[in-house]
Amino acid sequence: MSTNHLGSFVLTQELMPVLKRTAEEPNADVRIIVVSSAIHLQVPERPDFRSLEGWNSKKGDGVVESGTRYAITKLANVLFTRELHSRLDAENVPITCISLHPGLVNTDGPMNALRTINTGLLAYIFNLFLAAFGLTPLQGSYTTLFAATSPKIKAEPAKYKGSYLNPFNRLAEVSVYAKDQKLAKDLWACSEEVAEICLKEAEPRP
């Protein structure tokens, strides 16, 4: 959660004053793009985002446990994007927020993650699958680049604000949990609390 969600949350909050001022400029086109994953659809049960203990409630080092934790962080990405959109929309701030699934991309990242929990036959099979069916890094960037730069989004902001994209540039449905407004608000509130604690601990001591 720290890497996949909280870092993005803090960065966005720190940049928000600049983003809002920029959005007021003539012909402005401000976008916040969050890279999630289709694996958020595989979260097996409603997670508890009300506290740090809830964030860390999924224990275990097996493939299933690690995969579930990762899926929950990607769900957090979608919830954050949708809640951010809702808050900005309520303030009439013209910033477009989009989350997306870049596709299964053939990079070292997925394999390195799998090797930390399984170095045997499963890792070998997944490596073959990734090589055969995974997108190249260039292909994996297409949906993110579309979300960040395409003039289509500026031309149709209502269509894309708060949306979720699949490769390549297709609007897609999110999971039931990703539409849960209470879950999104719990995540937001807890993220603010945890971020405040982390930032205080990071302050230089006299």
Side-chain angles (χ1 to χ4, degrees):
M1 285 290 285
S2 297
T3 301
N4 288 352
H5 164 66
L6 192 62
S8 300
F9 179 88
V10 172
L11 176 63
T12 305
Q13 298 310 305
E14 291 297 307
L15 292 175
M16 191 53 66
V18 175
L19 295 173
K20 286 183 175 181
R21 286 198 301 271
T22 305
E24 294 173 357
E25 296 292 327
N27 203 36
D29 181 17
V30 180
R31 307 178 194 183
I32 298 172
I33 311 303
V34 180
V35 179
S36 180
S37 170
I39 200 172
H40 88 274
L41 298 163
Q42 305 304 317
V43 173
E45 59 186 9
R46 190 178 191 273
D48 181 4
F49 286 141
R50 293 172 297 176
S51 66
L52 188 58
E53 291 73 21
W55 287 17
N56 295 324
S57 63
K58 296 298 181 183
K59 307 294 184 182
D61 297 323
V63 174
V64 173
E65 294 84 357
S66 298
T68 298
R69 283 197 298 273
Y70 180 71
I72 289 171
T73 67
K74 296 288 99 179
L75 171 62
N77 292 152
V78 182
L79 285 166
F80 164 59
T81 307
R82 291 170 66 89
E83 178 65 13
L84 179 59
H85 160 69
S86 178
R87 288 169 179 253
L88 291 173
D89 205 41
E91 298 176 24
N92 293 316
V93 177
I95 294 178
T96 301
C97 303
I98 299 173
S99 59
L100 61 91
H101 169 52
L104 180 62
V105 185
N106 187 4
T107 64
D108 291 337
M111 278 309 305
N112 289 340
L114 185 58
R115 288 191 190 102
T116 63
I117 54 179
N118 189 296
T119 57
L121 181 60
L122 180 60
Y124 176 74
I125 293 173
F126 183 73
N127 188 38
L128 293 177
F129 179 86
L130 197 60
F133 300 104
L135 302 176
T136 67
L138 178 60
Q139 291 170 327
S141 71
Y142 289 168
T143 305
T144 304
L145 289 172
F146 172 84
T149 66
S150 174
K152 291 183 179 180
I153 291 175
K154 184 179 181 181
E156 301 179 87
K159 179 179 178 179
Y160 289 100
K161 282 187 175 182
S163 66
Y164 173 79
L165 300 178
N166 270 341
F168 293 101
N169 318 333
R170 294 181 293 111
L171 290 167
E173 281 293 313
V174 297
S175 72
V176 172
Y177 299 133
K179 297 176 183 178
D180 189 326
Q181 294 182 355
K182 176 64 165 58
L183 200 58
K185 293 184 186 306
D186 287 344
L187 175 67
W188 190 282
C190 189
S191 298
E192 288 183 326
E193 294 175 8
V194 175
E196 183 177 358
I197 293 170
C198 292
L199 292 174
K200 282 184 177 180
E201 291 181 350
E203 291 178 355
R205 301 183 183 279

